[in-house]
Amino acid sequence: MASILIVDDDPTVRLIGAELLRGEDYAIMEADDGDVAMKIIAAVPVDMLILDILMPRMDGLEVIRSVKRTYPAIKILAISSGGHRAGAVSYLETARVFGADEVM
């Protein structure tokens, strides 16, 4: 059974994501920020992250860099409702450069 970690500071997004995936025979875990996500990843096997970019404490871009450096086999789907970095580069474009496998 594949394990998916949904990381988002919005509990509604985590709930919807978990409900959509629960019937598909995945082990679903949730974290409300990048710090918690990294602790979970260090403790249990994770196959995929569904990862918000804009979060307090440790944001999604930091998580992507850390995960790809330490756990390169974990697949990452970066999600964001918008926002741009300096120079009008979107956070999702940056997430892809940092190693996200897909963005949405």
Side-chain angles (χ1 to χ4, degrees):
M1 174 183 302
S3 61
I4 299 175
L5 176 57
I6 301 170
V7 187
D8 198 305
D9 58 323
D10 184 335
T12 303
V13 172
R14 292 193 315 270
L15 175 69
I16 291 168
E19 285 301 313
L20 288 171
L21 295 169
R22 209 169 301 282
E24 300 298 323
D25 199 31
Y26 298 118
I28 306 297
M29 298 169 283
E30 299 178 31
D32 63 358
D33 68 44
D35 287 333
V36 174
M38 293 308 298
K39 289 175 184 166
I40 291 171
I41 292 167
V44 298
V46 173
D47 297 302
M48 181 179 185
L49 291 178
I50 298 175
L51 178 66
D52 185 23
I53 297 301
L54 301 175
M55 295 182 293
R57 293 184 289 256
M58 184 179 201
D59 69 30
L61 296 175
E62 293 173 283
V63 173
I64 292 168
R65 286 193 317 227
S66 182
V67 166
K68 286 302 180 178
R69 186 172 40 248
T70 310
Y71 308 96
I74 295 176
K75 300 296 182 192
I76 299 175
L77 168 62
I79 61 174
S80 181
S81 60
H84 289 80
R85 297 172 50 95
V89 174
S90 79
Y91 286 113
L92 291 177
E93 290 168 349
T94 304
R96 192 178 296 277
V97 169
F98 282 11
D101 297 285
E102 288 295 335
V103 298
M104 182 169 83

